Amino acid sequence: MRKRLIGLLTVYLLLSPTLSGCWDYVEYEDLAQITALGSDYNPQTNEITITIQYPSIKRTKSGGAGGAETGAPEWVVHSATGQNTFDAMSKLQEIVPQRLFYGYIKVFIVGEEMARYKLWDLFALVDRTPVMRSSAYIAVAEGTAEYAIKTIDPSQLSAGDKIHKLIQLIPESGSASAVTMNELLEDLAIGGLEPSIPLISIEATTDNLSGKTGQKQSGEGKKDEKAQEPQGKQATTDPHKEHPGTLRIGGMAAFHGDKLVGRLDDRESRGVNFIRGKKIHAYKVSEAAGETAVDQLYFRILESKSAIKVRLENGRPTVAVTIGVKADLRKYYGHEGADFLFGEALDHIEEKLAESVRGDVEAALKRGQGELRTDIFGFGFALYRKYPRAWKEEFLEQWRDIFPDIPVTVQINAKVVNVGITTRKLYIK
Amino acid sequence: MLENVKLTREQVVFLIFIGALGNMVYSHTWIDDATDRAAWVATFAGILLVIPLAVWILFLGKRQPGRTVFDMLEAGLGRIPCAALCLLYIVLNVGLAVAMLNMFTQLLKSFFILFTPAWASMLFMVFMAVLFVNGGLKGFARTAELLTTLGMLNYFVSFINAFPGFVHIEYIWPIFDTTLVDFIKGALFITGAAGECLLFLMIIVAYIPDAGKRYMWIVVSIGSCAVVFSSAILVIIAMMGPELAKRIAFGGVNAAKIIQIGDFLRGLEVFIFGTYQFIAIGKITICLYCAWMAGQKMLHGWKPGLQLLSLAAIILATALWLNSYSEAYHLAVLLDGYVILPFSLLVLLLASASIFLFRKETGNTK
């Protein structure tokens, strides 16, 4: 009996230090729960700046953790510059009085220079760090990530939260596609597929920005020549200070490998999304025939899917893209057109929708295949799936040279599944 | 010394299931360079290839019921060759336990308890194993039934949420993009890895009633393991693509980390962690039990309690000395890829020869 008691006591004493779990204990309010992390690179100094944003959490009188005190900012933004990402992160810990916790990052924001030269420094870190969630989104900021994160948006949301929400709403506009860090890693690792990442721009909204009131500082339609002007849009304001502005997501940054090669505008981005079969619930407008645009049709896209088929003809790949689009009609001709919408009238409407989608797709192909010469569509991946051996032996190494010249045919199957809540057009007396 | 117990069908099925999973849950990525997208098929085939060897052990058990394979070896070949094989067997089991202990501890440290020292987790795991082994095989078998069921439940709860949003058909179709030779290489590695269950079966064959009539128990057990584990690899590949899947250190935990439900449930790795924990505790217990039984065979049952504690201390000390995920991974690859299968084949051949010699000596021609 005594031996048994001694044995049990020994087991208890030996096990007790392993059961306490106190080595990893940390108070909730002692954590800086970072929700957005920005990364910038300065090619002149070869330094990296990391910007973090986290909610301000104070201990309440009752002893528990609570939100920010009245009047105090609800989130905190800090930046630090170092020789590399880790160095900058260490410097951040020197100024933040809480333990930096990266597990709640919702969005990684990358400055243009970082995206152009040093993106691997960030994704290699996220790839290996268990606490950083690769399910967080990634976006490229026009100019610097620091400037984007230090934007005070009229929505009252922190920049990180707003960008996160905008990314979640991307299918509603179709002008970009949401990309998580894990999806970026997949795109980087998979042969015959190049990454494209949503683009953040900041539009001035108040008089505070040195005479830039109401002007769009950055936005759609910018091409490579604009991309060559690092931090251009911050020229009128201090990029290191918080400043008012409206964050916007539209357009995509196109990559070749881990290097930014150019931007796609809203239309081109939508075209890429149609080709890749991404979820799009955007409004779509048909091309107007006349100046008054009275004959323009509005659609709400309900569903889009695509099939990329690759064939080898005489050893040369050819691509056939079939895109299926289902949409509701939202606006018909003001004065003209059929009374009831069926038969030929419906065919005509669907034709107009297909024409509109084709315009986006052709713009995307022109930009991605013709100008940027990067396979953001995944044609190479489709070729690999159809001919794995031929891909490995003949195409893998030379794909960048072959890709711009492969013929691509596009077929759009548009279907208008309903015509809204009326069956006949409105006759204006 | 052998306990006077008889295992039920379910207990054998669950024990062999855990015995087969073992280090394979981490080391399976070793074959991915060769098998590429077909890794899950190679895994399925590789695990099934263990069945003939397991059936071979049951066949030996039929010939000499109530005896372990080492009892058979001793009866036919004598004490010294048997002791030498027992010693090798103990080293192998200690090696497997050390690899598992290190890889699981590093999984814990990477994902959950960063600052808790490795010795604390390892000590806890080894203590649990000692308690299970000391409690007897029957008690452990019942626990294994419970743990395996819970582990599988966790596994399904987590991965069911990967469908359909996180699963990409284009990552798994086409299935075969490798050569036949590479596929066979991969399958054979997995056979070695799943062959860890053979080491356990060499002992528990003594507790299987009418071993010669229980082939289907083994087929069901190893077949289930093949289905469950290959489907886990299939889901992992479907979620992250073969290119990323081959780089992951902690198998399903890495994959489950990607799964997200709404804005608040980000990552379901805690469920898969439960499964890995049950596998780790089960496997370490099995290795300790096997080494202990072989030790008792060598030393003829001399101070079993002391032997058990000594073996546990050896496992703990070696694991602490290694204290590295990468080293443990390569140890597991070395043992699974090059040692387990040849050793099992050698033991089974010698045991078969031993039975033949024994029967010849005793004049038993049945």
Side-chain angles (χ1 to χ4, degrees), chain A residues 41-47 113 117 230-231:
Chain A
Y41 173 64
N42 186 335
Q44 278 81 43
T45 59
N46 197 27
E47 285 179 325
E113 294 301 301
Y117 301 111
Q231 305 170 19

Side-chain angles (χ1 to χ4, degrees), chain B residues 138-214:
Chain B
K138 196 79 178 173
F140 174 62
R142 286 178 185 144
T143 315
E145 286 182 77
L146 191 69
L147 292 186
T148 313
T149 310
L150 278 173
M152 289 304 103
L153 201 65
N154 278 346
Y155 161 82
F156 283 112
V157 163
S158 179
F159 278 140
I160 203 76
N161 289 294
F163 293 91
F166 295 92
V167 167
H168 308 278
I169 296 298
E170 62 271 24
Y171 291 165
I172 50 176
W173 192 268
I175 297 170
F176 284 95
D177 62 345
T178 184
T179 63
L180 188 62
V181 176
D182 283 337
F183 179 81
I184 292 170
K185 273 187 206 168
L188 282 177
F189 176 86
I190 293 293
T191 306
E196 287 179 17
C197 72
L198 297 175
L199 302 181
F200 187 39
L201 195 55
M202 286 174 192
I203 299 291
I204 63 164
V205 67
Y207 305 117
I208 300 177
D210 296 323
K213 295 177 185 169
R214 311 300 181 197

Side-chain angles (χ1 to χ4, degrees), chain A residues 38-111:
Chain A
S39 186
D40 291 302
Y41 173 64
N42 186 335
Q44 278 81 43
T45 59
N46 197 27
E47 285 179 325
I48 284 181
T49 301
I50 296 291
T51 306
I52 55 169
Q53 181 169 54
Y54 59 92
S56 172
I57 296 169
K58 305 276 183 202
R59 193 184 287 272
T60 59
K61 282 179 184 171
S62 59
E69 289 165 357
T70 312
E74 289 179 1
W75 60 86
V76 183
V77 180
H78 285 299
S79 295
T81 301
Q83 295 302 311
N84 50 53
T85 301
F86 246 16
D87 187 28
M89 285 160 78
S90 304
K91 286 182 177 166
L92 278 169
Q93 187 62 87
E94 289 167 7
I95 53 171
V96 177
Q98 291 133 310
R99 187 187 291 175
L100 297 179
F101 182 68
Y102 298 94
Y104 294 143
I105 294 177
K106 293 177 181 174
V107 61
F108 293 96
I109 301 163
V110 180

Side-chain angles (χ1 to χ4, degrees), chain A residues 11 14-15 17-19 23-24 99 103-106 127 129-130 132-136 164-165 168 182 185-186 189-191 381 384-385 388-389 392, chain B residues 36-37 110-117 119-120 123-124 127 131 168-171 173-174 176-177 239-240 243-244 247 257-258 260 263 266-267 269:
Chain A
V11 168
L14 280 168
L15 278 181
T18 70
L19 295 172
W23 285 285
D24 286 273
R99 187 187 291 175
Y104 294 143
I105 294 177
K106 293 177 181 174
D127 186 31
T129 307
M132 289 188 179
R133 298 210 163 265
S134 56
S135 55
H164 179 247
K165 298 261 181 215
Q168 287 182 319
N182 193 66
L185 292 169
E186 287 169 19
I190 293 169
F381 182 51
Y384 156 69
R385 291 184 64 212
R389 184 171 290 181
K392 285 180 183 172
Chain B
D36 221 326
R37 288 172 166 234
S110 297
F111 282 94
F112 303 102
I113 45 176
L114 195 67
F115 301 109
T116 301
W119 66 261
L123 181 66
F124 178 76
F127 251 108
L131 290 180
H168 308 278
I169 296 298
E170 62 271 24
Y171 291 165
W173 192 268
F176 284 95
D177 62 345
M239 284 174 70
M240 47 175 47
E243 292 84 359
L244 294 189
R247 303 167 59 250
K257 191 171 163 243
I258 303 169
Q260 189 168 338
D263 268 354
R266 300 179 72 199
E269 64 268 28

Side-chain angles (χ1 to χ4, degrees), chain A residues 331-375:
Chain A
K331 183 215 141 202
Y332 192 51
Y333 301 129
H335 305 293
E336 299 168 5
D339 189 2
F340 282 104
L341 299 174
F342 65 98
E344 272 185 28
L346 201 57
D347 288 347
H348 175 68
I349 291 170
E350 287 174 348
E351 218 170 84
K352 295 282 271 181
L353 173 61
E355 202 177 272
S356 170
V357 173
R358 182 181 296 279
D360 293 353
V361 170
E362 283 173 355
L365 286 170
K366 187 176 169 223
R367 181 78 175 137
Q369 193 184 19
E371 294 167 23
L372 302 177
R373 302 165 74 90
T374 183
D375 189 359

